[in-house]
Amino acid sequence: MKNSFDVVIIGGGAAGLFLAARLEGVSVAIAESNSRVGKKLLATGNGKCNLTNDDCRADKYNDPRVGAFLARYGASDAKRDFAAMGLPVKSVEGRAYPYSECASSVLDVLRMRVRDKGVAVLTECTVTAAEGMENGFCLTTQKDGMAGAKLFARNVVLATGSDATFGRDSLSLYAQFGHRVRAFSPSLVPLLTDRESVKGLNGVRVKCAVTFAGRRETGEILFKDFGLSGIAAFDLSSQAARGRAHAGETIIIDFMPDFTTEQAETLFASSPAGNTEDVLRGVFHSKLCERIAARAGLAPSEAPDPHALALAAKNYRLLFKGTADKSYAQVMSGGLSLGEFDDDLQSVFRKGAFAVGEALDVDGQCGGYNLQWAWTSAAVVAAKLSETEL
């Protein structure tokens, strides 16, 4: 088996596959620790694969420096290039999906492209060490727990994800070159709260506004027995992942974001219903009515107090107890510092060492932003290694 390549990509996830699919004029190998490439990609967007977002911009990410890379390769570029690979893309409220709405379609076209380019795909191949040499790198691999073949590369690209779901934390491979590593923590993950606040609400979905750690998000909340899930909760979970929120802080839900408190009070006061439960049933999910009434200090059969109900509906407080563990996380926050890589995402400490995707300390909100970073970072590195223009 050939063991010497111009480029070895460590990790066969979204960023690694997209990079391999774009490289031109170089010999390429992908070293993937799983039994097949792209396993995590299949689970994105609940299996639909939200490829990107038409509203990709720097403020959707944790690091403003992402904006310069998005300016070079953004959402429209990714949609164009996927279409050129045979994957038509459609947008739904700004979120781009494969026309099939199947993540497997995305993986299939990437695998076909990689196959047609003659890329060597080495599965169940874990890179355990990367040693710098005069003209490149010597990579030590492991297969089935046993020492594997050595791989030699002029350039190496770290494209591994985190240790959540199917990924593997391989950041230590670059720590030896002097890179700082921010430890991974769950992001885009459910929020754990006190049980009383969510009692009886498991499975209820609500469009609302949520304020947490100085940030407000409007979107969908999915109540769980242990707390809050849904897009709005996921986006706010990054506050904890980035160290901006801690257990014991307060989460505030506004169940009527389209109304001021005064307007909500007027709405409740105008109801012909004679008791609290009936007043609320016309506005909220039946299971939510009991919780709001209790926060207003009213029994369901009691006469309504419009002012108390308005305050309870727009200021529903929960105690934040932490985030769910990494097994629930769509994305992990952390990685190699973006500031230690140049405009081509090449290490400033070691020539020929690149990083893309989740290996870098870049994470975005829900809605296709994290996959767009995978495509953007991979395209930037591919242009450098292929000596082509974006």
Side-chain angles (χ1 to χ4, degrees), residues 69 102 139 158 169 196 246 345 365:
F69 294 98
C102 294
L139 307 180
L158 191 63
D169 181 353
E196 186 277 332
H246 306 280
L345 295 177
Q365 297 181 14

Side-chain angles (χ1 to χ4, degrees), residues 79-124:
K79 291 195 293 183
R80 176 202 65 211
D81 289 345
F82 271 111
M85 284 190 276
L87 186 89
V89 177
K90 64 180 179 181
S91 290
V92 180
E93 297 180 345
R95 298 181 178 217
Y97 297 89
Y99 185 78
S100 65
E101 293 193 3
C102 294
S104 58
S105 297
V106 181
L107 180 55
D108 285 344
V109 297
L110 288 174
R111 290 178 65 187
M112 287 188 291
R113 183 79 167 177
V114 165
R115 178 201 64 198
D116 292 347
K117 283 182 169 287
V119 173
V121 179
L122 314 175
T123 55
E124 297 182 320

Side-chain angles (χ1 to χ4, degrees), residues 177-191:
F177 301 140
H179 284 284
R180 290 174 296 165
V181 176
R182 186 165 72 88
F184 284 125
S185 58
S187 188
L188 301 192
V189 66
L191 302 173

Side-chain angles (χ1 to χ4, degrees), residues 21-198:
R22 295 180 67 83
L23 286 170
E24 300 286 350
V26 290
S27 59
V28 184
I30 295 174
E32 168 58 49
S33 61
N34 285 307
S35 59
R36 55 193 173 98
V37 296
K39 288 181 70 174
K40 187 175 180 179
L41 185 59
L42 291 175
T44 58
N46 293 321
K48 291 184 177 181
C49 195
N50 184 183
L51 283 169
T52 185
N53 196 296
D54 294 337
D55 189 32
C56 271
R57 58 180 192 267
D59 63 2
K60 299 294 184 179
Y61 298 85
N62 65 320
D63 193 322
R65 288 172 289 196
V66 171
F69 294 98
L70 290 172
R72 295 168 63 190
Y73 191 91
S76 60
D77 301 304
K79 291 195 293 183
R80 176 202 65 211
D81 289 345
F82 271 111
M85 284 190 276
L87 186 89
V89 177
K90 64 180 179 181
S91 290
V92 180
E93 297 180 345
R95 298 181 178 217
Y97 297 89
Y99 185 78
S100 65
E101 293 193 3
C102 294
S104 58
S105 297
V106 181
L107 180 55
D108 285 344
V109 297
L110 288 174
R111 290 178 65 187
M112 287 188 291
R113 183 79 167 177
V114 165
R115 178 201 64 198
D116 292 347
K117 283 182 169 287
V119 173
V121 179
L122 314 175
T123 55
E124 297 182 320
C125 178
T126 302
V127 177
T128 58
E131 179 186 356
M133 302 172 64
E134 184 178 353
N135 295 312
F137 303 86
C138 174
L139 307 180
T140 301
T141 69
Q142 189 178 83
K143 186 177 177 70
D144 299 326
M146 304 293 289
K150 297 281 188 179
L151 296 177
F152 298 92
R154 287 197 300 112
N155 302 280
V156 63
V157 184
L158 191 63
T160 55
S162 66
D163 54 352
T165 59
F166 304 108
R168 179 184 175 87
D169 181 353
S170 298
L171 301 182
S172 60
L173 294 174
Y174 275 27
Q176 65 172 311
F177 301 140
H179 284 284
R180 290 174 296 165
V181 176
R182 186 165 72 88
F184 284 125
S185 58
S187 188
L188 301 192
V189 66
L191 302 173
L192 306 181
T193 71
D194 64 286
R195 294 299 181 101
E196 186 277 332
S197 296
V198 297

